[in-house]
């Protein structure tokens, strides 16, 4: 399982012109599910997302350091499925998505990440699995981090 986290001041996702998920300050979380990923990996990923220190502590000295987590700040998470995170671009000019899990496997695992974040007291909004989504965000920093559940 792979995730790309972007610290944002706000983010929203639209499907067919309708806003289906929106947050204020927090993390925009793109989640890609690989073949063989498990619910245990979804739990691990959610815990890392919630506890990773990606926010300054609010002091002048802390403005340059990352001292607080999503849990510490009370920030929100916008979770969006993105199978393209599993693209293999090593050969040719067209990416291969062979490593991505089938939709019937991936959708429940993306939902499990969102549910595990919510269980930790984090406000969670989501995109719509399998839909063409338009994502609008304002990056803060910018801070962008990639997480992989397999190491």
């Amino acid at each position: 399982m792979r995730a790309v986290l972007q610290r944002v001041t706000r983010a929203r996702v639209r499907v067919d012109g309708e806003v289906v998920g929106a947050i204020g300050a927090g993390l925009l979380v793109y989640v890609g599910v690989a073949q063989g990923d498990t619910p245990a990996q979804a739990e691990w990923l959610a815990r890392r997302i919630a506890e990773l220190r990606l926010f300054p502590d609010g002091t002048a000295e802390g403005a340059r350091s990352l001292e607080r987590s999503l849990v510490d700040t009370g920030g929100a998470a916008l979770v969006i499925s993105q199978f393209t995170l599993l693209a293999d671009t090593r050969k040719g000019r067209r990416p291969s998505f062979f490593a991505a899990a089938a939709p019937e496997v991936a959708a429940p695992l993306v939902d499990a990440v969102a549910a595990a974040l919510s269980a930790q007291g984090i406000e969670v909004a989501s995109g719509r699995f399998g839909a063409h989504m338009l994502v609008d965000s304002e990056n803060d920093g910018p801070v962008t981090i990639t997480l992989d559940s397999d190491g």
Side-chain angles (χ1 to χ4, degrees):
M1 194 169 278
R2 180 170 294 151
V4 172
L5 317 178
Q6 292 183 321
R7 190 175 72 189
V8 297
T9 58
R10 61 162 184 79
R12 71 179 182 167
V13 58
R14 292 178 291 142
V15 176
D16 296 328
E18 172 192 358
V19 175
V20 296
I23 62 168
L27 294 175
L28 173 56
V29 180
Y30 294 106
V31 178
V33 180
Q35 292 183 33
D37 283 346
T38 66
Q41 288 170 303
E43 284 285 331
W44 177 89
L45 190 63
R47 191 171 50 255
R48 290 291 291 161
I49 293 166
E51 296 175 355
L52 203 58
R53 293 179 180 189
L54 298 176
F55 298 87
D57 68 7
T59 66
E61 296 81 32
R64 292 186 181 187
S65 64
L66 304 175
E67 298 294 333
R68 296 173 15 147
S69 69
L70 195 58
V71 171
D72 297 333
T73 62
L78 175 55
V79 177
I80 297 177
S81 63
Q82 189 172 351
F83 77 94
T84 59
L85 293 178
L86 282 296
D88 182 350
T89 58
R90 292 176 290 180
K91 294 181 182 176
R93 295 182 298 166
R94 182 175 294 132
S96 167
F97 300 105
F98 180 76
E104 59 273 10
V105 173
L109 290 175
V110 172
D111 290 344
V113 171
L117 286 167
S118 184
Q120 294 182 62
I122 295 168
E123 174 192 339
V124 177
S126 297
R128 187 172 295 155
F129 190 92
H132 181 263
M133 295 178 270
L134 297 176
V135 180
D136 176 33
S137 65
E138 184 173 77
N139 291 339
D140 181 15
V143 173
T144 303
I145 303 290
T146 304
L147 294 175
D148 284 294
S149 64
D150 61 355

